[in-house]
Amino acid sequence: MTNHEFADFTAADGPPATPEPGPRVVVSLCGAGTCPTVYHTDRDTVLVQGAVVTGVAVPEGEQLVEIPREILLEAARRLQEHDA
């Protein structure tokens, strides 16, 4: 993962779909996979890629990541549309 400044979010500029059966891209800020991205899994869960946050205690084996609020909201909208 790279350090970055959060880019302006544009819903129309989505990355190409990730092939099955692995996690599928729901929404991303870029198409290269090195920026905030939300994925959907075949287990009906989501994976979040973002900048690792330090300074907050979390259980062993877990990490906090930070993504722009807009990408989370867009991911929720797209997942809801997919379920409709």
Side-chain angles (χ1 to χ4, degrees):
M1 184 176 327
T2 62
N3 290 333
H4 59 276
E5 292 294 322
F6 292 134
D8 290 337
F9 175 74
T10 306
D13 295 335
T18 305
E20 297 289 337
R24 296 168 304 283
V25 173
V26 175
V27 65
S28 181
L29 289 181
C30 68
T34 59
C35 59
T37 303
V38 175
Y39 300 87
H40 183 253
T41 72
D42 58 0
R43 296 187 316 249
D44 202 27
T45 61
V46 295
L47 305 175
V48 179
Q49 176 182 336
V52 175
V53 176
T54 59
V56 179
V58 295
E60 186 174 332
E62 295 184 3
Q63 290 185 331
L64 294 178
V65 297
E66 183 175 27
I67 63 171
R69 179 179 182 268
E70 293 83 12
I71 197 170
L72 182 61
L73 294 173
E74 180 62 18
R77 184 189 69 75
R78 290 184 186 191
L79 288 168
Q80 193 170 40
E81 283 179 358
H82 180 268
D83 290 343

